[in-house]
Amino acid sequence: WRYSTGARCIPAPCLVVPVVRHAASLEACVPTPSGDECNFDCEDGYEPVGVLSCYQGVWNQPTCHPRRCGSAPSAADVEDMRSCIGTPSGAICKTKCSSGRRPTANFVCQNGRFITEGVTCSLPMINSEDCDSMPPVLGAKTSPCGFTASGDICKVECDDGWALEGVAECMSGSYSRVACHPPRCDGSAAPISHAQDMSVCRGLENDATCPVLCDAGYLPAGERRPRTAFSRDPIP
């Protein structure tokens, strides 16, 4: 007698239902040949990470992770919150309220959805340490802040080309000094007959005076006073 040449060893299939926490039913994965994959879905609020595959009768270990929040939260008097899109589950996204209001709570992402219950923007109680509306700032691009709590900072933006000096911080009922300065005169001064090189006038602050140095035999008359750009009118 002799052995049959048809005998062989093959990789074992997976005959046991795999276990993936927060996955939908996986009974359809049995049996799965070694080397093959089985598509799986996760419960609502979860998303699959990895591939469920069989190798020699043993399943690998993919997971179902809590889903990120794919849309922006909203609530009354809340500003645009599109920056919250993509927040991981369990993480918070700070509530941004319209001017003069304060959030009662922050948005929390939970399994793909933001918890909005209890999130509102309310008018705060003003005490003696807080600041009311800030007086207008010359050269500011936007109106200064309304209510600002003590210790908070009011964001001031200057017009294009103007430079901001200081930080508008509310301290004990009043704002610290802040100002917007006009741009310096960085261009060339208008030429003046019988005057020496006027390049020394570059970089002067607005409303500053630039001295005129005349050629021999001439005397200066008037003054060169720049206002963000040099005047083109010659000095007599």
Side-chain angles (χ1 to χ4, degrees):
W1 60 273
R2 61 182 179 177
Y3 290 105
S4 169
T5 57
R8 60 195 178 97
C9 294
I10 62 172
C14 289
L15 302 176
V16 178
V17 177
V19 177
V20 179
R21 190 178 181 186
H22 298 299
S25 176
L26 298 174
E27 293 182 358
C29 291
V30 177
T32 295
S34 178
D36 286 1
E37 299 174 356
C38 181
N39 295 326
F40 72 102
D41 295 319
C42 296
E43 298 172 351
D44 186 36
Y46 293 84
E47 55 189 355
V49 177
V51 177
L52 180 59
S53 59
C54 173
Y55 179 72
Q56 296 181 359
V58 179
W59 293 105
N60 69 334
Q61 296 294 318
T63 57
C64 285
H65 279 194
R67 191 180 300 275
R68 291 174 175 264
C69 287
S71 58
S74 61
D77 298 311
V78 170
E79 294 185 349
D80 186 358
M81 300 295 294
R82 280 179 288 184
S83 59
C84 292
I85 296 176
T87 300
S89 181
I92 67 169
C93 185
K94 291 187 176 180
T95 305
K96 295 181 290 185
C97 295
S98 55
S99 179
R101 293 178 177 269
R102 279 183 168 180
T104 56
N106 289 316
F107 293 104
V108 179
C109 177
Q110 187 175 64
N111 295 352
R113 295 185 178 88
F114 280 107
I115 299 175
T116 59
E117 182 179 356
V119 179
T120 59
C121 289
S122 59
L123 290 171
M125 297 294 292
I126 299 178
N127 58 50
S128 59
E129 297 294 312
D130 297 331
C131 297
D132 206 342
S133 298
M134 176 187 291
V137 177
L138 179 64
K141 182 179 297 185
T142 57
S143 299
C145 301
F147 169 84
T148 303
S150 180
D152 288 350
I153 293 175
C154 169
K155 184 178 181 181
V156 177
E157 294 185 15
C158 297
D159 291 333
D160 294 340
W162 291 54
L164 176 65
E165 178 189 1
V167 177
E169 181 180 3
C170 174
M171 297 182 295
S172 301
S174 61
Y175 289 97
S176 55
R177 182 183 178 279
V178 64
C180 290
H181 296 292
R184 292 174 176 267
C185 293
D186 293 327
S188 297
I192 301 174
S193 299
H194 305 294
Q196 298 181 14
D197 183 13
M198 298 297 296
S199 63
V200 294
C201 294
R202 292 179 181 174
L204 284 180
E205 295 182 355
N206 182 59
D207 214 27
T209 300
C210 180
V212 177
L213 301 178
C214 298
D215 294 335
Y218 291 85
L219 293 175
E223 62 180 4
R224 177 68 61 186
R225 186 179 295 275
R227 292 183 182 273
T228 71
F230 286 108
S231 168
R232 306 303 296 179
D233 298 329
I235 294 178

